[in-house]
Amino acid sequence: MTPDAKRDELREKIEAGERRHAARDLAEAARDAAESATEFVKKHPLATLGGAIAIGLVIGAMTKPGRQLTRRGGKLATLVADAAIAYGVSMLEKAGEAATQGQDKLEDLGDALDDKRRTVRREAAHLASTAADRTRSAKRRVSRKTERAVRDLRTHFTS
């Protein structure tokens, strides 16, 4: 097998490994996000329920029947709607913070993958260079030995 073929085969193996590694890391990140959401719901069931109610009230307050009910219900309904909206906004802010944290983790993961890719590529280049050096060295040794053998044969048959 030629050094170029070996180098190409090594590159293909490296790229396949990088693809497998990237797919596994993305799957793990998605699994972690699902687990953290499940943990939040288990730890804070009332907050989750309150958030769902608040979001429902906010959406309801945006519809025509919801606005009419708010006018009829008076100040208490207005206070409840305002509280629900405030709670909904705080939950959305928390969700935004969680999304930002997830994005940061994905960026860190991408950086780690990029670092690993560079390391593997650098090591592959080193291995290819070492193989090329050894091939050149072996070629020189074989050439010298062949020249000496031919010289010895000429000397032996001419004398």
Side-chain angles (χ1 to χ4, degrees), residues 118-129:
R118 281 193 303 271
T119 300
V120 169
R121 186 170 281 170
R122 187 173 47 249
E123 289 173 358
H126 174 70
L127 289 173
S129 175

Side-chain angles (χ1 to χ4, degrees), residues 99-143:
T100 301
Q101 290 174 352
Q103 186 179 14
D104 291 345
K105 286 184 180 182
L106 283 176
E107 286 176 1
D108 293 344
L109 178 66
D111 290 344
L113 285 174
D114 195 40
D115 291 344
K116 186 63 174 177
R117 179 190 55 81
R118 281 193 303 271
T119 300
V120 169
R121 186 170 281 170
R122 187 173 47 249
E123 289 173 358
H126 174 70
L127 289 173
S129 175
T130 301
D133 290 345
R134 288 181 180 170
T135 303
R136 281 191 294 273
S137 177
K139 177 185 167 192
R140 276 188 255 127
R141 278 195 314 273
V142 168
S143 178

